[in-house]
Amino acid sequence: MSTLHLTSLKVGLDAVLALGTPKLSFMATGYTPNAGTHSYWNDISSSRAANTTDVTLASITTTVDTGNARVELDTANPSLSTITTTTNKYTIWVDTGSDSTSPVLATIDIVEGTLSPTSGTLAITVNAEGHYALKAV
């Protein structure tokens, strides 16, 4: 049996986050993520939701959760103001200064479904356990 070690997963995630500026982008409803081919921001940047801009993530933490055998990525709740758009997912990526070397970390479905603010605020309340977790199984 093979074992992934939580500390090494955390160190690896921290190293990727340190490559640049972690960002969140709301994606168009027609965007379908592909974990095998959507590696860098230039692979998916054209699928950003209309009228949105990238959100620089704040208060980033990675935490080892030994009880659930995983590493969690958490941030402050991201939002955009005075936005008219439609989205049902968001992507977390690291801006290295070049779209072709800016790694895509995850695309996450919005649990409330499709959001369509009209000159309103587009906001995500991040789960207490973070945006996502890397699980050691």
Side-chain angles (χ1 to χ4, degrees):
M1 179 173 154
S2 300
T3 301
L4 291 173
H5 296 269
L6 294 174
T7 300
S8 65
L9 288 175
K10 181 184 182 323
V11 168
L13 180 55
D14 288 341
V16 171
L17 292 168
L19 292 173
T21 304
K23 294 192 175 181
L24 179 146
S25 296
F26 292 98
M27 305 305 287
T29 56
Y31 170 63
T32 301
N34 184 317
T37 60
H38 296 168
S39 302
Y40 298 98
W41 183 238
N42 68 315
D43 297 326
I44 65 172
S45 60
S46 64
S47 296
R48 181 189 294 123
N51 305 315
T52 64
T53 58
D54 304 323
V55 178
T56 298
L57 294 172
S59 303
I60 300 164
T61 59
T62 57
T63 306
V64 173
D65 177 351
T66 55
N68 291 306
R70 64 188 185 190
V71 175
E72 300 165 348
L73 172 72
D74 195 13
T75 70
N77 295 335
S79 67
L80 291 172
S81 299
T82 320
I83 295 294
T84 300
T85 195
T86 300
T87 185
N88 61 354
K89 64 186 77 65
Y90 62 91
T91 296
I92 296 175
W93 57 288
V94 178
D95 185 354
T96 64
S98 172
D99 289 354
S100 64
T101 63
S102 295
V104 173
L105 302 181
T107 298
I108 300 158
D109 290 333
I110 296 171
V111 296
E112 295 85 3
T114 301
L115 303 178
S116 299
T118 303
S119 295
T121 298
L122 179 57
I124 299 295
T125 301
V126 180
N127 183 296
E129 295 177 328
H131 291 275
Y132 69 89
L134 301 174
K135 185 140 176 93
V137 292

